[in-house]
Amino acid sequence: MILFRFSFFAYLKEKIKEIMSFSGSCKGDIFLNPALKEGRDILREHYHDNHVIHAVKYFASYEGYDEVYCDFNAGFGAIATEVAGYFKHNILHEPDEILAQVLNVNMTLKGIPGQWEISPVPPRLTGKGIVRCAMGTDANILLETGASIVIFQNKQPVKVSAPLHDAFLYSADMDKSRPFKTLWTLITKGYAFKMRKITLTDELAAGDYIFLPKDFDQIL
Protein backbone atom coordinates (compact mmCIF):
# COMPACT_ATOMS: atom_id res chain seq x y z
CA MET A 1 0.00 0.00 0.00
CA ILE A 2 1.53 3.34 -1.09
CA LEU A 3 0.91 6.15 1.42
CA PHE A 4 3.26 8.86 0.16
CA ARG A 5 4.69 9.67 -3.27
CA PHE A 6 7.03 12.27 -4.75
CA SER A 7 7.34 12.42 -8.52
CA PHE A 8 10.85 11.93 -9.89
CA PHE A 9 11.14 15.62 -10.79
CA ALA A 10 9.90 16.79 -7.37
CA TYR A 11 12.41 14.46 -5.72
CA LEU A 12 15.19 15.72 -8.00
CA LYS A 13 14.37 19.33 -7.11
CA GLU A 14 14.60 18.57 -3.39
CA LYS A 15 17.90 16.71 -3.78
CA ILE A 16 19.40 19.65 -5.68
CA LYS A 17 18.28 22.00 -2.91
CA GLU A 18 19.87 19.64 -0.40
CA ILE A 19 23.18 19.45 -2.28
CA MET A 20 23.30 23.23 -2.77
CA SER A 21 22.45 23.75 0.93
CA PHE A 22 19.63 26.16 0.18
CA SER A 23 17.81 27.08 3.36
CA GLY A 24 16.13 29.96 5.10
CA SER A 25 15.75 30.74 8.75
CA CYS A 26 12.16 29.76 9.47
CA LYS A 27 9.28 27.62 8.22
CA GLY A 28 5.91 29.29 8.15
CA ASP A 29 5.21 30.37 11.70
CA ILE A 30 7.13 27.89 13.85
CA PHE A 31 10.57 28.27 15.37
CA LEU A 32 13.33 25.90 14.22
CA ASN A 33 16.86 25.02 15.22
CA PRO A 34 19.04 24.98 12.06
CA ALA A 35 21.87 23.44 14.09
CA LEU A 36 19.90 20.19 14.24
CA LYS A 37 19.46 17.88 11.24
CA GLU A 38 15.69 18.05 11.75
CA GLY A 39 15.89 21.82 11.48
CA ARG A 40 17.91 21.71 8.27
CA ASP A 41 15.56 19.11 6.76
CA ILE A 42 12.46 21.14 7.46
CA LEU A 43 14.07 24.34 6.16
CA ARG A 44 15.04 22.59 2.94
CA GLU A 45 11.99 20.39 2.31
CA HIS A 46 9.27 22.45 4.02
CA TYR A 47 8.24 19.40 6.04
CA HIS A 48 10.32 17.21 8.31
CA ASP A 49 9.71 13.53 7.61
CA ASN A 50 6.87 14.36 5.23
CA HIS A 51 6.19 10.66 4.61
CA VAL A 52 5.67 10.08 8.35
CA ILE A 53 3.41 13.12 8.65
CA HIS A 54 1.36 11.78 5.75
CA ALA A 55 1.08 8.33 7.39
CA VAL A 56 -0.11 9.85 10.69
CA LYS A 57 -2.75 11.91 8.89
CA TYR A 58 -3.83 8.90 6.82
CA PHE A 59 -4.47 6.62 9.78
CA ALA A 60 -6.12 9.43 11.76
CA SER A 61 -8.94 9.25 9.21
CA TYR A 62 -10.01 5.84 10.56
CA GLU A 63 -12.77 5.90 13.17
CA GLY A 64 -11.46 6.15 16.71
CA TYR A 65 -7.83 6.68 15.80
CA ASP A 66 -8.22 10.46 15.83
CA GLU A 67 -8.81 10.42 19.59
CA VAL A 68 -5.19 10.78 20.74
CA TYR A 69 -1.78 11.40 19.17
CA CYS A 70 1.29 10.73 21.31
CA ASP A 71 4.76 11.86 20.23
CA PHE A 72 7.75 10.52 22.14
CA ASN A 73 10.72 12.94 22.09
CA ALA A 74 8.71 15.45 20.09
CA GLY A 75 11.64 17.88 19.83
CA PHE A 76 10.60 21.37 18.76
CA GLY A 77 7.45 20.02 17.11
CA ALA A 78 8.51 19.43 13.51
CA ILE A 79 5.98 16.59 13.21
CA ALA A 80 3.57 17.43 16.03
CA THR A 81 2.73 20.90 14.70
CA GLU A 82 1.71 19.44 11.34
CA VAL A 83 -0.61 16.71 12.66
CA ALA A 84 -2.06 18.28 15.81
CA GLY A 85 -5.23 19.48 14.08
CA TYR A 86 -6.15 15.92 13.09
CA PHE A 87 -6.59 14.72 16.69
CA LYS A 88 -8.91 15.55 19.56
CA HIS A 89 -5.99 15.49 21.98
CA ASN A 90 -2.20 15.55 21.58
CA ILE A 91 0.27 14.38 24.24
CA LEU A 92 3.82 15.44 23.41
CA HIS A 93 6.69 13.98 25.40
CA GLU A 94 9.89 16.04 25.44
CA PRO A 95 12.29 15.63 28.40
CA ASP A 96 14.77 18.32 27.29
CA GLU A 97 13.72 21.57 28.99
CA ILE A 98 14.98 23.90 26.24
CA LEU A 99 13.34 21.89 23.44
CA ALA A 100 10.16 21.66 25.51
CA GLN A 101 10.04 25.45 25.75
CA VAL A 102 10.41 25.82 21.96
CA LEU A 103 7.81 23.07 21.50
CA ASN A 104 5.43 24.97 23.77
CA VAL A 105 5.81 28.13 21.67
CA ASN A 106 5.30 26.23 18.42
CA MET A 107 2.23 24.38 19.66
CA THR A 108 0.80 27.65 20.98
CA LEU A 109 1.15 29.02 17.45
CA LYS A 110 -0.10 25.95 15.58
CA GLY A 111 -2.22 23.89 17.97
CA ILE A 112 -5.80 24.33 19.13
CA PRO A 113 -6.01 25.53 22.77
CA GLY A 114 -7.07 22.76 25.13
CA GLN A 115 -6.24 19.97 22.67
CA TRP A 116 -2.55 19.47 23.46
CA GLU A 117 -0.19 19.08 26.39
CA ILE A 118 3.56 18.69 26.83
CA SER A 119 4.66 15.99 29.25
CA PRO A 120 8.15 15.39 30.71
CA VAL A 121 7.00 11.83 31.48
CA PRO A 122 6.41 9.28 28.67
CA PRO A 123 2.63 8.76 28.32
CA ARG A 124 0.96 5.35 28.22
CA LEU A 125 -1.72 5.00 25.57
CA THR A 126 -4.01 2.02 26.20
CA GLY A 127 -6.92 2.88 23.90
CA LYS A 128 -7.19 3.77 20.23
CA GLY A 129 -4.84 6.40 18.92
CA ILE A 130 -1.54 6.89 17.12
CA VAL A 131 1.90 6.95 18.72
CA ARG A 132 5.23 7.94 17.18
CA CYS A 133 8.51 6.92 18.82
CA ALA A 134 12.17 6.48 17.92
CA MET A 135 13.56 4.30 20.73
CA GLY A 136 13.35 0.51 20.86
CA THR A 137 12.60 0.52 24.59
CA ASP A 138 9.63 2.83 24.04
CA ALA A 139 8.41 0.77 21.07
CA ASN A 140 8.41 -2.48 23.08
CA ILE A 141 6.43 -0.86 25.92
CA LEU A 142 3.91 0.67 23.52
CA LEU A 143 3.45 -2.65 21.70
CA GLU A 144 2.41 -4.45 24.89
CA THR A 145 -1.18 -3.28 24.27
CA GLY A 146 -2.86 -3.84 20.94
CA ALA A 147 -5.26 -0.91 20.63
CA SER A 148 -3.06 1.82 19.18
CA ILE A 149 -1.12 2.29 15.94
CA VAL A 150 2.61 2.64 16.58
CA ILE A 151 4.91 4.43 14.13
CA PHE A 152 8.48 3.50 14.99
CA GLN A 153 11.28 5.54 13.41
CA ASN A 154 14.10 3.20 14.30
CA LYS A 155 17.65 4.59 14.39
CA GLN A 156 19.65 1.42 15.02
CA PRO A 157 19.20 -2.39 14.96
CA VAL A 158 16.88 -3.48 17.77
CA LYS A 159 14.80 -6.49 18.74
CA VAL A 160 11.09 -5.73 18.91
CA SER A 161 8.21 -7.88 20.14
CA ALA A 162 4.71 -7.13 18.83
CA PRO A 163 2.36 -10.05 19.61
CA LEU A 164 -0.75 -7.89 19.25
CA HIS A 165 0.24 -6.04 16.08
CA ASP A 166 1.05 -6.69 12.43
CA ALA A 167 4.42 -5.18 11.46
CA PHE A 168 5.07 -3.25 8.25
CA LEU A 169 8.24 -1.75 6.82
CA TYR A 170 7.45 1.75 5.55
CA SER A 171 10.05 2.40 2.86
CA ALA A 172 10.72 3.92 -0.57
CA ASP A 173 13.25 1.18 -1.41
CA MET A 174 16.15 3.57 -1.91
CA ASP A 175 19.23 1.29 -1.86
CA LYS A 176 22.53 3.21 -1.90
CA SER A 177 24.42 0.02 -2.74
CA ARG A 178 22.40 -0.37 -5.97
CA PRO A 179 22.34 3.14 -7.50
CA PHE A 180 21.19 2.12 -10.98
CA LYS A 181 18.26 0.09 -9.64
CA THR A 182 17.36 2.99 -7.34
CA LEU A 183 17.50 5.48 -10.21
CA TRP A 184 15.24 3.26 -12.32
CA THR A 185 12.78 2.99 -9.43
CA LEU A 186 12.75 6.78 -9.08
CA ILE A 187 12.15 7.34 -12.79
CA THR A 188 9.42 4.72 -13.16
CA LYS A 189 7.68 4.87 -9.77
CA GLY A 190 8.79 8.11 -8.15
CA TYR A 191 9.81 8.47 -4.52
CA ALA A 192 7.03 6.26 -3.20
CA PHE A 193 6.79 5.21 0.43
CA LYS A 194 4.80 2.02 0.77
CA MET A 195 3.96 -0.46 3.51
CA ARG A 196 5.31 -4.01 3.21
CA LYS A 197 4.26 -6.60 5.79
CA ILE A 198 7.20 -8.25 7.57
CA THR A 199 7.72 -11.05 10.06
CA LEU A 200 9.45 -10.13 13.31
CA THR A 201 12.12 -12.80 13.63
CA ASP A 202 15.44 -10.94 13.64
CA GLU A 203 16.52 -7.48 14.74
CA LEU A 204 14.83 -4.57 12.99
CA ALA A 205 17.32 -2.61 10.91
CA ALA A 206 17.30 1.18 11.00
CA GLY A 207 14.25 2.46 9.16
CA ASP A 208 10.59 3.43 9.52
CA TYR A 209 8.03 0.87 10.69
CA ILE A 210 4.28 0.94 11.20
CA PHE A 211 2.58 -1.46 13.63
CA LEU A 212 -1.16 -1.95 13.11
CA PRO A 213 -3.42 -3.73 15.64
CA LYS A 214 -4.18 -7.31 14.60
CA ASP A 215 -7.87 -6.53 13.99
CA PHE A 216 -7.12 -3.42 11.92
CA ASP A 217 -7.43 -5.34 8.62
CA GLN A 218 -11.16 -5.68 9.35
CA ILE A 219 -11.67 -1.96 8.71
CA LEU A 220 -9.21 -1.50 5.82
Side-chain angles (χ1 to χ4, degrees):
M1 179 192 303
I2 293 177
L3 299 187
F4 174 78
R5 186 193 297 274
F6 254 175
S7 71
F8 172 66
F9 293 105
Y11 174 80
L12 188 62
K13 182 182 72 173
E14 296 303 329
K15 292 304 291 184
I16 291 173
K17 288 164 63 179
E18 177 182 358
I19 293 169
M20 299 298 291
S21 299
F22 291 156
S23 67
S25 59
C26 65
K27 172 202 174 271
D29 53 1
I30 74 170
F31 293 91
L32 307 173
N33 184 350
L36 298 176
K37 181 182 184 299
E38 292 88 344
R40 294 193 297 273
D41 286 348
I42 199 171
L43 290 170
R44 183 186 71 247
E45 299 177 0
H46 305 292
Y47 291 101
H48 169 58
D49 285 342
N50 201 359
H51 62 293
V52 173
I53 292 170
H54 191 88
V56 172
K57 292 178 179 179
Y58 173 81
F59 287 111
S61 67
Y62 285 90
E63 183 178 359
Y65 288 95
D66 62 343
E67 290 293 328
V68 182
Y69 171 68
C70 292
D71 198 328
F72 281 58
N73 298 98
F76 51 79
I79 293 177
T81 55
E82 296 297 334
V83 304
Y86 287 76
F87 296 88
K88 297 175 183 176
H89 192 61
N90 298 266
I91 306 174
L92 313 175
H93 166 58
E94 180 46 63
D96 184 280
E97 292 184 8
I98 295 177
L99 280 176
Q101 291 174 18
V102 179
L103 176 62
N104 184 72
V105 172
N106 288 335
M107 289 303 297
T108 301
L109 291 169
K110 301 282 282 188
I112 299 173
Q115 293 189 6
W116 59 271
E117 62 178 288
I118 298 173
S119 172
V121 179
R124 293 295 298 270
L125 181 60
T126 56
K128 281 187 176 181
I130 300 176
V131 188
R132 187 200 71 87
C133 66
M135 300 291 293
T137 50
D138 292 332
N140 277 304
I141 292 173
L142 293 166
L143 291 168
E144 289 178 357
T145 58
S148 60
I149 294 172
V150 178
I151 297 178
F152 179 32
Q153 293 188 266
N154 186 31
K155 305 300 183 185
Q156 58 187 5
V158 64
K159 187 72 174 179
V160 171
S161 175
L164 303 177
H165 291 76
D166 291 319
F168 296 83
L169 174 64
Y170 186 40
S171 170
D173 294 329
M174 299 291 103
D175 188 349
K176 293 181 179 179
S177 65
R178 305 182 68 182
F180 293 108
K181 180 179 183 296
T182 296
L183 178 60
W184 180 250
T185 298
L186 282 171
I187 293 173
T188 57
K189 300 179 181 178
Y191 188 58
F193 270 79
K194 55 184 175 292
M195 294 172 55
R196 178 169 59 84
K197 193 170 184 179
I198 60 173
T199 302
L200 295 178
T201 54
D202 302 315
E203 287 186 330
L204 287 183
D208 297 322
Y209 299 87
I210 297 177
F211 294 87
L212 301 181
K214 289 285 189 181
D215 60 352
F216 194 83
D217 61 347
Q218 298 175 15
I219 61 175
L220 283 175

